[in-house]
Short mmCIF file of all heavy atoms in Angstrom, two decimals:
data_model
loop_
_atom_site.label_atom_id
_atom_site.label_comp_id
_atom_site.label_asym_id
_atom_site.label_seq_id
_atom_site.Cartn_x
_atom_site.Cartn_y
_atom_site.Cartn_z
N ILE U 78 -34.72 136.06 -193.06
CA ILE U 78 -36.18 135.99 -192.83
C ILE U 78 -36.85 137.32 -193.00
O ILE U 78 -36.41 138.28 -192.44
CB ILE U 78 -36.47 135.47 -191.41
CG1 ILE U 78 -35.79 134.08 -191.20
CG2 ILE U 78 -37.99 135.36 -191.16
CD1 ILE U 78 -35.86 133.55 -189.78
N PHE U 79 -37.89 137.33 -193.88
CA PHE U 79 -38.65 138.52 -194.13
C PHE U 79 -40.04 138.28 -193.52
O PHE U 79 -40.73 137.34 -193.89
CB PHE U 79 -38.84 138.75 -195.63
CG PHE U 79 -37.57 138.90 -196.35
CD1 PHE U 79 -36.86 137.86 -196.84
CD2 PHE U 79 -37.04 140.18 -196.58
CE1 PHE U 79 -35.67 137.96 -197.54
CE2 PHE U 79 -35.85 140.35 -197.34
CZ PHE U 79 -35.14 139.24 -197.74
N SER U 80 -40.45 139.08 -192.55
CA SER U 80 -41.71 138.83 -191.84
C SER U 80 -42.60 140.05 -191.87
O SER U 80 -42.19 141.20 -191.75
CB SER U 80 -41.46 138.47 -190.36
OG SER U 80 -40.67 137.31 -190.29
N GLY U 81 -43.92 139.77 -192.05
CA GLY U 81 -44.93 140.86 -191.94
C GLY U 81 -45.39 141.40 -193.27
O GLY U 81 -44.87 141.10 -194.34
N GLU U 82 -46.39 142.29 -193.12
CA GLU U 82 -47.03 142.87 -194.29
C GLU U 82 -46.08 143.68 -195.17
O GLU U 82 -46.28 143.77 -196.38
CB GLU U 82 -48.19 143.76 -193.88
CG GLU U 82 -49.33 143.02 -193.22
CD GLU U 82 -50.42 143.99 -192.74
OE1 GLU U 82 -50.35 145.18 -193.06
OE2 GLU U 82 -51.36 143.50 -192.07
N ARG U 83 -45.12 144.32 -194.56
CA ARG U 83 -44.22 145.21 -195.28
C ARG U 83 -43.45 144.53 -196.42
O ARG U 83 -43.00 145.19 -197.36
CB ARG U 83 -43.26 145.92 -194.36
CG ARG U 83 -42.33 144.94 -193.65
CD ARG U 83 -41.59 145.58 -192.52
NE ARG U 83 -40.44 146.34 -192.98
CZ ARG U 83 -39.67 147.03 -192.17
NH1 ARG U 83 -39.92 147.05 -190.89
NH2 ARG U 83 -38.67 147.67 -192.64
N PHE U 84 -43.29 143.20 -196.33
CA PHE U 84 -42.56 142.47 -197.38
C PHE U 84 -43.46 141.66 -198.30
O PHE U 84 -43.00 141.05 -199.24
CB PHE U 84 -41.51 141.54 -196.73
CG PHE U 84 -40.46 142.26 -195.97
CD1 PHE U 84 -40.38 142.18 -194.60
CD2 PHE U 84 -39.52 143.06 -196.67
CE1 PHE U 84 -39.37 142.86 -193.88
CE2 PHE U 84 -38.57 143.73 -196.00
CZ PHE U 84 -38.46 143.65 -194.62
N GLU U 85 -44.75 141.66 -198.08
CA GLU U 85 -45.68 140.94 -198.97
C GLU U 85 -45.59 141.38 -200.40
O GLU U 85 -45.69 140.59 -201.30
CB GLU U 85 -47.10 141.01 -198.45
CG GLU U 85 -47.31 140.13 -197.23
CD GLU U 85 -48.79 140.02 -196.80
OE1 GLU U 85 -49.62 139.49 -197.56
OE2 GLU U 85 -49.12 140.55 -195.70
N SER U 86 -45.39 142.69 -200.62
CA SER U 86 -45.32 143.22 -202.00
C SER U 86 -44.12 142.75 -202.77
O SER U 86 -44.10 142.68 -204.02
CB SER U 86 -45.38 144.78 -202.00
OG SER U 86 -44.28 145.27 -201.34
N VAL U 87 -43.02 142.38 -202.11
CA VAL U 87 -41.83 141.90 -202.78
C VAL U 87 -41.61 140.42 -202.65
O VAL U 87 -40.67 139.91 -203.29
CB VAL U 87 -40.55 142.66 -202.31
CG1 VAL U 87 -40.54 144.13 -202.62
CG2 VAL U 87 -40.28 142.39 -200.85
N SER U 88 -42.41 139.75 -201.92
CA SER U 88 -42.18 138.33 -201.65
C SER U 88 -42.15 137.52 -202.93
O SER U 88 -41.44 136.53 -203.07
CB SER U 88 -43.20 137.77 -200.65
OG SER U 88 -44.47 137.76 -201.18
N GLU U 89 -42.99 137.86 -203.95
CA GLU U 89 -43.00 137.13 -205.18
C GLU U 89 -41.73 137.31 -205.99
O GLU U 89 -41.39 136.52 -206.88
CB GLU U 89 -44.22 137.55 -206.04
CG GLU U 89 -45.54 137.07 -205.50
CD GLU U 89 -45.63 135.53 -205.51
OE1 GLU U 89 -45.24 134.90 -206.47
OE2 GLU U 89 -46.07 135.01 -204.46
N GLN U 90 -40.97 138.38 -205.72
CA GLN U 90 -39.74 138.66 -206.43
C GLN U 90 -38.53 138.08 -205.77
O GLN U 90 -37.42 138.10 -206.33
CB GLN U 90 -39.58 140.22 -206.55
CG GLN U 90 -40.69 140.82 -207.37
CD GLN U 90 -40.63 142.32 -207.32
OE1 GLN U 90 -40.80 142.89 -206.22
NE2 GLN U 90 -40.42 143.00 -208.43
N LEU U 91 -38.70 137.53 -204.56
CA LEU U 91 -37.57 136.93 -203.83
C LEU U 91 -37.41 135.50 -204.27
O LEU U 91 -37.72 134.55 -203.54
CB LEU U 91 -37.81 137.01 -202.33
CG LEU U 91 -37.95 138.46 -201.74
CD1 LEU U 91 -38.29 138.39 -200.27
CD2 LEU U 91 -36.63 139.20 -201.98
N LYS U 92 -36.90 135.29 -205.46
CA LYS U 92 -36.76 133.96 -206.07
C LYS U 92 -35.28 133.68 -206.40
O LYS U 92 -34.44 134.56 -206.41
CB LYS U 92 -37.54 133.92 -207.41
CG LYS U 92 -39.04 134.19 -207.26
CD LYS U 92 -39.69 133.11 -206.43
CE LYS U 92 -41.19 133.37 -206.23
NZ LYS U 92 -41.81 132.64 -205.22
N THR U 93 -35.00 132.38 -206.61
CA THR U 93 -33.64 131.94 -206.90
C THR U 93 -33.11 132.74 -208.05
O THR U 93 -33.72 132.97 -209.08
CB THR U 93 -33.70 130.44 -207.26
OG1 THR U 93 -34.22 129.72 -206.15
CG2 THR U 93 -32.31 129.93 -207.57
N GLY U 94 -31.79 133.17 -207.86
CA GLY U 94 -31.09 133.90 -208.89
C GLY U 94 -31.16 135.40 -208.80
O GLY U 94 -30.42 136.11 -209.51
N VAL U 95 -32.05 135.93 -207.96
CA VAL U 95 -32.21 137.41 -207.86
C VAL U 95 -31.11 137.96 -206.93
O VAL U 95 -30.86 137.40 -205.87
CB VAL U 95 -33.62 137.72 -207.32
CG1 VAL U 95 -33.76 139.22 -207.05
CG2 VAL U 95 -34.66 137.28 -208.34
N ASP U 96 -30.52 139.04 -207.32
CA ASP U 96 -29.56 139.74 -206.50
C ASP U 96 -30.24 140.79 -205.64
O ASP U 96 -31.06 141.57 -206.18
CB ASP U 96 -28.46 140.42 -207.35
CG ASP U 96 -27.60 139.45 -208.12
OD1 ASP U 96 -27.36 138.39 -207.57
OD2 ASP U 96 -27.14 139.84 -209.25
N ILE U 97 -29.89 140.80 -204.36
CA ILE U 97 -30.57 141.76 -203.42
C ILE U 97 -29.51 142.36 -202.43
O ILE U 97 -28.42 141.85 -202.28
CB ILE U 97 -31.68 141.09 -202.63
CG1 ILE U 97 -31.13 139.96 -201.73
CG2 ILE U 97 -32.80 140.60 -203.51
CD1 ILE U 97 -32.18 139.38 -200.78
N GLU U 98 -29.95 143.42 -201.81
CA GLU U 98 -29.21 143.99 -200.65
C GLU U 98 -30.20 143.95 -199.47
O GLU U 98 -31.31 144.51 -199.66
CB GLU U 98 -28.73 145.41 -200.87
CG GLU U 98 -28.02 146.00 -199.67
CD GLU U 98 -27.56 147.42 -199.93
OE1 GLU U 98 -26.53 147.59 -200.64
OE2 GLU U 98 -28.22 148.38 -199.40
N VAL U 99 -29.81 143.36 -198.39
CA VAL U 99 -30.67 143.26 -197.21
C VAL U 99 -30.06 144.00 -196.04
O VAL U 99 -28.85 143.86 -195.81
CB VAL U 99 -30.88 141.77 -196.84
CG1 VAL U 99 -31.82 141.64 -195.64
CG2 VAL U 99 -31.50 140.98 -197.94
N GLN U 100 -30.84 144.75 -195.32
CA GLN U 100 -30.48 145.34 -194.05
C GLN U 100 -31.34 144.81 -192.94
O GLN U 100 -32.52 144.64 -193.15
CB GLN U 100 -30.63 146.88 -194.13
CG GLN U 100 -29.82 147.54 -195.16
CD GLN U 100 -30.06 149.02 -195.22
OE1 GLN U 100 -30.39 149.64 -194.19
NE2 GLN U 100 -29.89 149.58 -196.38
N GLY U 101 -30.73 144.50 -191.81
CA GLY U 101 -31.50 143.98 -190.71
C GLY U 101 -30.63 143.68 -189.51
O GLY U 101 -29.53 144.23 -189.38
N PHE U 102 -31.16 142.82 -188.66
CA PHE U 102 -30.39 142.42 -187.47
C PHE U 102 -30.22 140.93 -187.41
O PHE U 102 -31.00 140.21 -188.04
CB PHE U 102 -31.09 142.90 -186.18
CG PHE U 102 -32.47 142.29 -185.97
CD1 PHE U 102 -32.66 141.10 -185.21
CD2 PHE U 102 -33.59 142.86 -186.54
CE1 PHE U 102 -33.91 140.54 -185.03
CE2 PHE U 102 -34.84 142.32 -186.35
CZ PHE U 102 -35.00 141.15 -185.60
N ILE U 103 -29.14 140.47 -186.78
CA ILE U 103 -28.90 139.03 -186.67
C ILE U 103 -29.31 138.51 -185.30
O ILE U 103 -29.25 139.22 -184.32
CB ILE U 103 -27.41 138.70 -186.97
CG1 ILE U 103 -26.46 139.44 -186.04
CG2 ILE U 103 -27.08 138.98 -188.42
CD1 ILE U 103 -25.00 139.09 -186.22
N ALA U 104 -29.72 137.29 -185.31
CA ALA U 104 -30.17 136.60 -184.13
C ALA U 104 -29.80 135.14 -184.17
O ALA U 104 -29.69 134.58 -185.28
CB ALA U 104 -31.64 136.78 -183.89
N LEU U 105 -29.60 134.49 -183.06
CA LEU U 105 -29.31 133.08 -182.99
C LEU U 105 -30.60 132.29 -183.14
O LEU U 105 -31.63 132.60 -182.50
CB LEU U 105 -28.65 132.76 -181.63
CG LEU U 105 -27.98 131.40 -181.49
CD1 LEU U 105 -26.83 131.28 -182.47
CD2 LEU U 105 -27.50 131.21 -180.11
N GLN U 106 -30.54 131.27 -184.01
CA GLN U 106 -31.70 130.40 -184.16
C GLN U 106 -31.25 128.98 -183.99
O GLN U 106 -30.16 128.58 -184.55
CB GLN U 106 -32.27 130.60 -185.59
CG GLN U 106 -33.56 129.81 -185.84
CD GLN U 106 -34.04 130.07 -187.24
OE1 GLN U 106 -33.44 129.65 -188.20
NE2 GLN U 106 -35.14 130.75 -187.35
#
Side-chain angles (χ1 to χ4, degrees):
I78 301 172
F79 302 86
S80 298
E82 293 177 9
R83 63 193 280 178
F84 295 112
E85 285 188 65
S86 62
V87 295
S88 66
E89 288 299 315
Q90 297 169 298
L91 298 175
K92 301 295 180 196
T93 301
V95 173
D96 292 328
I97 63 172
E98 178 180 286
V99 180
Q100 297 178 30
F102 63 92
I103 55 174
L105 193 65
Q106 184 181 69

